[in-house]
Amino acid sequence: MKGNEAVAEAAIRAGCKCFFGYPITPQNELPAYFAKKLQASGGVFLQAESEIAAINMVLGAASAGVRSMTSSSSPGISLKAEGISYIAGSDLPCVIVNVQRGGPGLGSIQPSQADYLQATKAMGHGDFHVIVYAPCSVQEMVDTVFKAFEIADLYRMPVMILADGLLGQMMEPVSFPDFTLSEPTKKWAADGHGGKRKKNIINSLFLQPDDLERTIRERFARYDEIKARETEAELYMTEDADIVLVAYGATARVVKSAVNLAREQGIKAGLVRPVTLWPFPEKELNEGAQNARALLCCEMSMGQMVDDVKLAINCSKPVTFYGRTGGSIPSPTEILEEIKRIGGVV
Amino acid sequence: MAVIFQKPKSLSDVTQHYCPGCTHGIIHRLIAEVIDDMDIEGETVGISPVGCSVLAYNYFNFDMIQAPHGRAPAVATGVKRARPDLFTFTYQGDGDLAAIGTAEMVHAASRGENITIIFVNNTIYGMTGGQMAPTTLSGQVTQTTPFGRDIKTAGYPIRVCEMLATLEGTAFARRVSVDTPQNVREAKKAIAKAFELQKNEAGFSIVEILSTCPTNWGLNPLNSLKRIREEVIPYYPLGVYKDKTKEGESS
């Protein structure tokens, strides 16, 4: 199944009742699948007039307590930034998929990982975070979608699945596990008080500085919980690794091949693959890089996650970067060459 | 003793922040009265905008959502599509609706979205200190048109009801005013009709209400009402611009 379609099918199985989107390549199969299938499962598909309207429709549906989702690609995600900030500021759950393409501007329609900083550091104005998952296969995309809806409801916040054009367009065998939904009762929702409770207000405005500070601090206390409980990473052949590579998403697949090639040639390489980009798996990275002499961060960008890698290990070891950008995908041999080069200089 | 006048149930018992002479208070009351009359307080979700009426979520006694600037019709669409059994209206000023929210307004109407927009047109951005709005009249002095709105550089004021009436999805569009007791009664009728249309799943409805801004117009409350009659209504004539119901078709 194609990555984009698998995400949509998984979302329907995860109890997503509303999808609002706008056409943009390379994620078009995702809304198209919803358009075909969501209504039959009692849900709502609506093609909005803009990315901005789409995210605000998500805001409305989520406010009413209904599992909702939108998807887009890089330029479209920039347009959604305002709405994502309001959703975070109003403590609303939702799932947002970014099938990244090359940027800045209209960039390209080829795969890219150049939205890392946007997703993990500044997904809109103000003090807030979204949880960011970076799956690396179609199967993992499916599994992540289910988790994303659960986690969004659990912590009442937006969850982003940061994919890329490669993951969205690739076809892989996939199985859909039996999801057991655990959607909580949403007592906070604006869904009509029915004369049974006080009115609910969904709001991100706090005119008194003390009130806003308290709200944000409460939210950040929740972020600490998320860091402790939800951080995920995959460690691959790191136990004895001299050189530890760090990569996420589609790039991690290429890097894994490069690690295998290096091992065949007697070079002790390993891989740490962050599964959550926010929170960033600092502890897992340090564990994986324990015996390493050097780290090599690989991305489809000019180097964005590499800063988090340096911070996570507190610059205690040399960290180098190798990246391709503009829609180019690095090859395993390219990365192997880089591993050898670093192996030589360390 | 029989109670002959009281606060509607759908209005919260709190002090409103509106300036003296501003007609937001009247409009809030009319909405609350209609919701009481229809007995739909428990199933209503109101959407407040960005602007003077942002705090409307504190003033109504039903569930409320505060939308990003101009996006209220999209938020209302999300609510209504997710829960068609709920009653949803947006409360928006001229800047929110007819400038930054133009796309959301036009497309909600075009889709025939079964929501109601209460559009409060006071020809100025009030909350931010009186800047030119899309509805600011030609020659009107504002903070950003200190020499009066010059059509040559700032363009023409937008007539929202007339524009939306051209769209197939619009079921009802009416412009009213709250400058006289008689007009206040008419305004209430218009709101009641729009809300009834939504209950009957007739599609998109909008009630534009001409409103005062004594503070930013630099006029006292009485002269503000006078300005509505002498300057605002002549450019924004009161009336029904679209009515897809049987009464509307026969008139």
Side-chain angles (χ1 to χ4, degrees), chain A residues 132 149 215 238 249 338 345:
Chain A
V132 184
F149 277 103
T215 309
T238 53
E338 199 60 20
V345 295

Side-chain angles (χ1 to χ4, degrees), chain A residues 18 20 44-50 52-53 56-61 63-64 66 82-83 86 90 189-195 197-205 207, chain B residues 12 41-45 50 54-69 71 74-79 81-83 86 103-105 107-108 111 113:
Chain A
C18 289
F20 304 103
V44 175
F45 166 84
L46 179 59
Q47 180 173 327
E49 65 270 27
S50 68
I52 296 169
N56 282 285
M57 288 170 187
V58 169
L59 190 158
S63 295
V66 174
E82 174 201 46
Y86 275 74
S90 305
D191 55 356
H193 61 51
R197 55 161 170 80
K198 285 190 173 174
K199 69 168 175 180
N200 283 335
I201 301 173
I202 305 292
N203 176 41
S204 63
L205 176 69
L207 287 170
Chain B
S12 303
E41 181 197 336
E43 61 197 76
T44 297
V45 178
V50 172
V54 62
L55 294 175
Y57 57 75
N58 285 330
Y59 305 152
F60 289 115
N61 215 0
F62 37 75
D63 285 359
M64 291 289 295
I65 301 168
Q66 198 281 305
H69 203 13
R71 319 297 176 216
V75 173
T77 298
V79 171
R81 293 292 182 116
R83 289 284 308 272
L86 295 175
E104 286 78 4
M105 161 185 85
H107 286 276
R111 283 192 303 268
E113 209 63 61

Side-chain angles (χ1 to χ4, degrees), chain B:
Chain B
M1 212 193 320
V3 178
I4 54 162
F5 188 80
Q6 63 183 339
K7 200 181 255 290
K9 244 174 56 198
S10 296
L11 266 193
S12 303
D13 195 13
V14 294
T15 308
Q16 297 181 0
H17 72 285
Y18 298 115
C19 302
C22 164
T23 43
H24 266 307
I26 296 173
I27 300 163
H28 279 28
R29 188 186 166 97
L30 293 180
I31 292 169
E33 282 181 2
V34 173
I35 286 177
D36 280 8
D37 291 348
M38 294 171 71
D39 196 22
I40 52 169
E41 181 197 336
E43 61 197 76
T44 297
V45 178
I47 320 287
S48 74
V50 172
C52 285
S53 47
V54 62
L55 294 175
Y57 57 75
N58 285 330
Y59 305 152
F60 289 115
N61 215 0
F62 37 75
D63 285 359
M64 291 289 295
I65 301 168
Q66 198 281 305
H69 203 13
R71 319 297 176 216
V75 173
T77 298
V79 171
K80 196 73 182 186
R81 293 292 182 116
R83 289 284 308 272
D85 55 318
L86 295 175
F87 180 84
T88 313
F89 74 94
T90 72
Y91 190 104
Q92 300 178 260
D94 37 76
D96 191 82
L97 184 86
I100 199 163
T102 315
E104 286 78 4
M105 161 185 85
V106 168
H107 286 276
S110 178
R111 283 192 303 268
E113 209 63 61
N114 194 32
I115 60 169
T116 306
I117 291 180
I118 303 296
F119 167 37
V120 180
N121 179 3
N122 64 3
T123 76
I124 204 158
Y125 282 80
M127 182 64 107
T128 42
Q131 294 83 12
M132 181 186 72
T135 51
T136 293
L137 294 174
S138 173
Q140 185 179 337
V141 172
T142 71
Q143 198 184 71
T144 47
T145 53
F147 311 109
R149 180 173 185 161
D150 181 355
I151 297 304
K152 279 200 227 84
T153 54
Y156 295 89
I158 293 176
R159 294 186 179 102
V160 169
C161 276
E162 288 86 330
M163 178 165 75
L164 295 187
T166 66
L167 299 173
E168 291 299 327
T170 303
F172 182 68
R174 180 173 175 187
R175 183 181 294 120
V176 293
S177 170
V178 286
D179 63 309
T180 64
Q182 192 191 356
N183 276 342
V184 169
R185 280 198 294 273
E186 283 302 309
K188 185 176 172 181
K189 274 190 218 161
I191 295 168
K193 170 135 187 180
F195 283 10
E196 283 296 340
L197 280 169
Q198 185 182 153
K199 286 298 281 183
N200 298 335
E201 297 176 19
F204 180 84
S205 54
I206 180 166
V207 178
E208 174 175 347
I209 305 173
L210 302 179
S211 183
T212 59
C213 185
T215 301
N216 289 303
W217 289 359
L219 298 173
N220 67 31
L222 276 181
N223 285 338
S224 294
L225 294 173
K226 206 170 143 208
R227 175 174 187 256
I228 294 263
R229 287 187 284 275
E230 290 176 357
E231 294 175 35
V232 183
I233 291 177
Y235 188 84
Y236 297 111
L238 306 185
V240 177
Y241 289 90
K242 186 80 175 274
D243 186 353
K244 274 192 180 176
T245 61
K246 279 186 187 143
E247 315 127 65
E249 278 164 8
S250 59
S251 67

